[in-house]
Amino acid sequence: MNSDNTQNRLWDNTATIIQSYTQTNIFQPTRTSLINHIAVQIFDSLKVPQISVACYINRIKMYAQCSDSCIVLALVYIDRLLQKKAISINRRNVHKLLITGVVLAIKYNEDDYYDNDYYAKVGGITCEELLLLECEMLALLNYNLYVSCSHYCYYLEKLNDCELSRQAFVLSPSEAENYNIAHKCLSESCVSTTVDILK
């Protein structure tokens, strides 16, 4: 299988996973996390964005100019929030969670990246809002963006599973840490544009 097909499947399967989260509502905030409830609401759009999760992720893939590893890291970050029951994903907040996770992954993982104004336009939000969303997600993650090689490769292997689109997908952190395979390097995609889409 050529690299383009592998890359497309990686991003497409991420869209399938995230979409399944919005449909099944796997996790709900616990009583102990209710103090974060107001803050977490900043990820909510006023109404459900018209752009689908699949199209939004494809937009990020086309225009963010980041390595494919960033979508894997973004999924890890979102999964951490779900596993600690800090948030639940729904159709109103999924887009902002995605763009925020990808931007954090880019800044943590990439040597070169654009300023927030560019990524805000890719995500369809304002620069000020993106900064606020970044700060909030960082706080919810306890400012920990590190992902071990084994954990990353576990997610990558699952994302490359050709059967993934046919099943719900929930990850086990303990299983991931025990899953040891060689680190895989992913190539980059480059296109740029600016469109406001989450208003």
Side-chain angles (χ1 to χ4, degrees):
M1 181 175 295
N2 64 45
S3 60
D4 286 343
N5 287 340
T6 300
Q7 290 173 354
N8 289 336
R9 184 171 66 183
L10 181 71
W11 289 78
D12 290 346
N13 283 351
T14 301
T16 298
I17 294 167
I18 296 295
Q19 184 63 46
S20 75
Y21 285 165
T22 67
Q23 292 171 343
T24 58
N25 209 12
I26 297 170
F27 298 104
Q28 291 286 351
T30 62
R31 288 179 64 106
T32 56
S33 69
L34 289 180
I35 57 173
N36 294 323
H37 178 66
I38 300 301
V40 169
Q41 285 183 319
I42 69 170
F43 291 100
D44 289 346
S45 298
L46 294 178
K47 58 183 179 180
V48 176
Q50 293 185 346
I51 185 171
S52 69
V53 171
C55 288
Y56 193 69
I57 284 182
N58 187 59
R59 175 180 174 78
I60 294 173
K61 175 181 181 289
M62 291 177 64
Y63 303 140
Q65 299 193 27
C66 62
S67 63
D68 292 340
S69 58
C70 290
I71 194 61
V72 181
L73 294 176
L75 180 60
V76 173
Y77 299 154
I78 292 172
D79 247 14
R80 284 179 180 175
L81 297 181
L82 291 173
Q83 288 161 0
K84 67 187 293 188
K85 303 190 178 185
I87 62 168
S88 62
I89 297 183
N90 57 63
R91 293 186 300 160
R92 287 177 57 197
N93 67 12
V94 60
H95 299 79
K96 291 182 182 179
L97 287 168
L98 277 167
I99 189 62
T100 308
V102 169
V103 170
L104 289 180
I106 290 171
K107 292 182 177 181
Y108 184 79
N109 187 63
E110 307 286 85
D111 292 328
D112 300 302
Y113 51 84
Y114 291 98
D115 58 24
N116 270 22
D117 184 60
Y118 178 83
Y119 294 121
K121 290 174 181 176
V122 171
I125 56 180
T126 66
C127 184
E128 293 76 11
E129 183 175 17
L130 179 57
L131 179 59
L132 183 64
L133 295 175
E134 283 185 88
C135 292
E136 185 57 38
M137 183 172 283
L138 277 171
L140 291 172
L141 290 169
N142 295 321
Y143 300 93
N144 177 23
L145 298 181
Y146 172 75
V147 177
S148 69
C149 181
S150 62
H151 204 171
Y152 171 85
C153 290
Y154 174 83
Y155 275 70
L156 182 61
E157 186 75 4
K158 291 292 187 178
L159 282 168
N160 282 325
D161 183 354
C162 63
E163 299 299 318
L164 182 60
S165 61
R166 303 176 189 173
Q167 60 186 323
F169 186 72
V170 184
L171 295 170
S172 165
S174 59
E175 181 183 358
E177 288 301 331
N178 293 325
Y179 189 84
N180 295 305
I181 60 175
H183 179 73
K184 299 178 181 179
C185 296
L186 301 175
S187 60
E188 300 180 356
S189 58
C190 299
V191 181
S192 64
T193 192
T194 57
V195 176
D196 199 16
I197 53 178
L198 294 189
K199 293 298 183 183

